[in-house]
Structures are given as C-alpha cells and as structure tokens.
Amino acid sequence: MTNHSTAIPSANIIPFRQKELLLIDNAGEPFVPMKPVVEGMGLAWQTQHRKLMSSRFAATITEMVIVAQDGKQREMTCLPLRKLAGWLMSISASRLSRSLIWSWGYECCWWSTWCSTAC
C-alpha cells in the first residue's frame, strides 16, 4: 500500500559523487526520494520502481510532491531512511559491486545530514 502526502515537504540536499541526493522531512521522519538514488547508482529506475512497489518495501513507500530545482512540483517515490539499508542489501551483487552498494549506504552521510537539520 502506498501512502500519499499532500503537503509539499522541504528537502535537504546531500551532495554525493557529483550527484545531488535529497532527504525529506515527512512528519518528523526522514524519507529518501528513490529515483535520484537508483539512477545515481546506475540502475534502471523502472525496474527498481516495480521492485519497490511489489516487495516488502511497498507498505512503507510514500509518494510525495516536492518542488524540484527547476521550481516545478514533482511527485517522488520516497522510502523511509530507516529502510534504505534493507533496500540496498536487496540489490544483486551481480548488478553492482558490494563496495559500490556499501558506499551509497554508508559514505553518503544520510544520518548526519538528517541530524544536523532535525536533531
């Protein structure tokens, strides 16, 4: 089941490996818009989106409308930050190296960014 958020949340930008990833506050809980993460890792968004929507993560997915850098509102498929490590570990090692997957989970500083703004 997908939750829908109607409010436009504010986003924290996390620069990582020449990408700009987002971290969004939704009622005090950090959420990660997944498309920039998936594409930044070099994976196909459509495939991973299907996987997210039909797997154990489906109940935790929230569709949020955010204001993009171009000023337009965009609907984003977001996963709670607390579930991101589980999703990263679901990626087949034959698709990406474990070290690359690890770096996206641990080098990216998700929690420190969240705590510097919300803690």
Side-chain angles (χ1 to χ4, degrees), residues 61-81:
I61 292 290
T62 299
E63 299 290 338
M64 293 184 209
V65 176
I66 65 166
V67 177
Q69 288 182 332
D70 61 6
K72 295 181 181 178
Q73 293 182 8
R74 306 242 192 269
E75 187 171 75
M76 301 290 280
T77 300
C78 301
L79 186 68
L81 179 57

Side-chain angles (χ1 to χ4, degrees), residues 14 16 21-23 29-38 41 43 45 48 51-52 56-57 60-61 77-91 98 101-111:
I14 303 172
F16 183 68
L21 306 177
L22 301 174
L23 192 57
E29 182 175 4
F31 277 76
V32 178
M34 292 303 291
K35 187 174 183 179
V37 173
V38 168
M41 293 178 79
L43 297 169
W45 170 241
Q48 292 303 314
K51 179 178 161 184
L52 283 165
R56 63 184 175 179
F57 302 106
T60 64
I61 292 290
T77 300
C78 301
L79 186 68
L81 179 57
R82 62 187 162 80
K83 299 290 185 178
L84 183 64
W87 174 79
L88 288 167
M89 291 300 107
S90 74
I91 298 170
R98 281 285 166 215
I101 295 168
W102 184 89
S103 70
W104 277 81
Y106 297 103
E107 289 178 22
C108 189
C109 304
W110 297 98
W111 280 111

Side-chain angles (χ1 to χ4, degrees), residues 10-16 19-24 69 113 117:
S10 60
N12 296 308
I13 296 173
I14 303 172
F16 183 68
K19 308 284 184 220
E20 287 190 347
L21 306 177
L22 301 174
L23 192 57
I24 297 174
Q69 288 182 332
T113 299
T117 58

